[in-house]
Amino acid sequence: MSARGRQRVRLLLVESATTIDSAQRLVWELATRLPDHRYALRVWLSPSPDVDPLADSLEARGIPVDRVAEIALPWTWGRMLTLWSQLRRLGPKLVHFHAGGSGAQPHLPTLARHAGAEHLVLTRHLSTTGLDPWARPAERRIFQSVDAVTVSSGAVREVLVQETGVDRERIRVVPNGVDPPDEPKERPAARRLRDQFGVGMFKPLWVCAARLEEAKGHAVLLEALARVKERGLDFVAALAGDGSLRSTLERLAVALGLDAQVRFLGHVDSIGPLILAADACVLASRWEAQPWFVLESMARARPVLAAAVGGVPELMDDGVHGRLVPADDPEALAAVLEEFHRKPDIPRRLGLSAAQRLGTSLTWDRSIEAFEAVYDDVLGLASFVAAKQEIRSGRVVQGHDARR
């Protein structure tokens, strides 16, 4: 049946984080890229003021947004009845939940089902190396209650399988995406940043973009930078992002004698020019699902030095597309940074190889198509995405309508 002859699917995207994070980035991409001829889409977001820019941007594009309070907080019968009534009134056919951290929302999928939602999809944004033990039974029940579970990397899937006992086949890997950068547009700002930081051929700029939280390993990175300085090498390290550890890390940088080398930039609205300005991009995390910072760096042919944790090794091979080192190892980080400093041809080669590796395989178009395929599967529809891919490859398959 063609798209014109088929009623649009009422789709509700639900995300309850109170600050902007990876889950909300995916919600944004889905909401703005899913074809409106196929989906009548609505978004639920937290009423937190930190989420206002996302809500405002979606509404400016004509996407209905509801600010739904306390989805992830302790439940009362009153809250449950209110949410049930909202879901019943909206009548979504498909609800796509986004859950991050530990302790996902154990009642909401069941509530949505009782309110009449026919199909449920859950994307698990795992931000740590594991779930709190008390949350694991609830997590298992959630997985069993929905029609499909997606994660961004095989590493996240393995953590969930080990900790919840859920069948591996129920968890599908849908990688994150990245848009091809507009480097001609970003390059003037990148040049201004290099001038601002006073970097050049013998004084490289190293960039790290991550929230200033324990899991991101900034203290390890600062220790590594101190060792590089002790070896007589000059550099600037720009740390983009904010978080609860900012004042602690600023004091540590001073204590390590790095106050002239390390710049804490806080929140950066557009990270592209900063990455393009970098001689190398560094991530010392203790755990990552599939970091967009790495994808954005690879897309701009910037060499990446990262801790080999979570889904990062799925993005690149050590010594081919970037460099991987053990987590919590400042000496290993320092050794690679020293090599990058003394032999700049090595990071340039790695960056070019990374861009070739990324190619067109990890784009947002591919990611959204993969989610459409998940939706089609749970809805019991022949895959619209499969039809598009067959047309691209020049194949004609009976029963597929490319105009759907």
Side-chain angles (χ1 to χ4, degrees):
M1 183 183 295
S2 71
R4 294 176 181 175
R6 186 167 64 200
Q7 185 177 7
R8 292 194 301 167
V9 175
R10 293 188 304 276
L11 170 62
L12 177 63
L13 303 178
V14 178
E15 210 292 310
S16 60
T18 57
T19 58
I20 299 296
D21 60 11
S22 61
Q24 291 175 339
R25 170 71 182 274
L26 178 54
V27 167
W28 162 265
E29 299 295 345
L30 286 166
T32 57
R33 292 174 186 263
L34 284 169
D36 57 11
H37 69 271
R38 299 199 71 209
Y39 304 99
L41 190 142
R42 196 173 194 94
V43 178
W44 275 14
L45 296 173
S46 163
S48 167
D50 290 342
V51 185
D52 288 349
L54 173 60
D56 293 344
S57 296
L58 291 173
E59 289 177 331
R61 287 163 174 76
I63 299 168
V65 176
D66 297 313
R67 309 301 292 273
V68 181
E70 300 182 337
I71 293 177
L73 294 179
W75 289 80
T76 67
W77 288 109
R79 292 193 191 102
M80 293 176 70
L81 180 59
T82 298
L83 287 173
W84 179 88
S85 298
Q86 288 179 276
L87 288 163
R88 188 74 176 174
R89 175 175 52 82
L90 292 175
K93 185 181 183 68
L94 172 63
V95 183
H96 186 173
F97 302 100
H98 294 261
S102 45
Q105 309 145 21
H107 300 292
L108 196 52
T110 301
L111 199 65
R113 191 80 78 180
H114 284 304
E118 297 178 33
H119 306 285
L120 308 177
V121 174
L122 172 70
T123 293
R124 192 67 170 85
H125 303 266
L126 192 65
S127 58
T128 63
T129 53
L131 299 169
D132 293 332
W134 65 268
R136 295 176 187 178
E139 192 89 1
R140 189 181 304 112
R141 287 195 299 272
I142 293 173
F143 290 166
Q144 293 169 345
S145 69
V146 300
D147 300 296
V149 178
T150 75
V151 294
S152 61
S153 69
V156 174
R157 178 170 61 184
E158 292 310 306
V159 168
L160 296 177
V161 168
Q162 292 171 13
E163 297 193 345
T164 68
V166 70
D167 184 356
R168 181 177 283 100
E169 299 305 315
R170 288 186 58 81
I171 304 178
R172 311 184 193 189
V173 176
V174 180
N176 294 323
V178 62
D179 284 322
D182 187 350
E183 291 194 15
K185 182 178 180 180
E186 294 177 345
R187 193 166 289 115
R191 288 172 178 159
R192 288 195 295 272
L193 285 168
R194 290 187 66 84
D195 289 341
Q196 174 186 332
F197 293 135
V199 296
M201 182 178 299
F202 302 107
K203 186 179 181 180
L205 172 63
W206 298 327
V207 168
C208 174
R211 285 190 58 79
L212 304 182
E213 305 292 350
E214 187 68 28
K216 299 301 182 179
H218 289 91
V220 177
L221 175 57
L222 291 176
E223 290 181 29
L225 294 173
R227 298 185 187 201
V228 174
K229 181 182 177 182
E230 289 172 358
R231 294 166 192 176
L233 301 177
D234 198 9
F235 58 87
V236 171
L239 308 187
D242 220 329
S244 63
L245 294 183
R246 177 163 181 169
S247 59
T248 300
L249 292 169
E250 288 176 335
R251 290 193 298 270
L252 177 59
V254 173
L256 292 171
L258 294 171
D259 41 315
Q261 284 77 29
V262 176
R263 314 289 175 84
F264 289 87
L265 306 183
H267 174 75
V268 175
D269 288 328
S270 179
I271 199 67
L274 181 62
I275 292 174
L276 192 62
D279 294 287
C281 297
V282 189
L283 195 63
S285 300
R286 294 183 169 92
W287 171 259
E288 289 286 352
Q290 193 192 59
W292 272 299
F293 175 52
V294 171
L295 290 172
E296 297 281 5
S297 301
M298 294 174 69
R300 290 168 177 78
R302 289 301 173 262
V304 174
L305 164 59
V309 297
V312 176
E314 298 173 35
L315 298 175
M316 58 185 184
D317 296 324
D318 181 36
V320 179
H321 313 106
R323 290 300 313 273
L324 297 171
V325 297
D328 291 313
D329 191 338
E331 179 53 37
L333 280 170
V336 175
L337 289 172
E338 180 180 1
E339 180 184 60
F340 281 5
H341 198 301
R342 297 187 186 280
K343 301 177 180 179
D345 59 308
I346 292 178
R348 282 196 292 268
R349 173 178 55 79
L350 293 173
L352 293 173
S353 180
Q356 294 172 355
R357 158 76 175 85
L358 199 66
T360 59
S361 63
L362 289 172
T363 65
W364 275 120
D365 286 343
R366 290 289 185 90
S367 182
I368 300 307
E369 286 182 356
F371 276 109
E372 282 195 81
V374 173
Y375 294 165
D376 284 347
D377 191 18
V378 302
L379 290 166
L381 302 174
S383 177
F384 172 78
V385 175
K388 287 197 292 186
Q389 291 173 339
E390 285 152 7
I391 292 169
R392 286 176 181 170
S393 65
R395 292 183 292 149
V396 177
V397 179
Q398 187 175 2
H400 283 289
D401 185 348
R403 298 167 297 173
R404 287 185 300 165

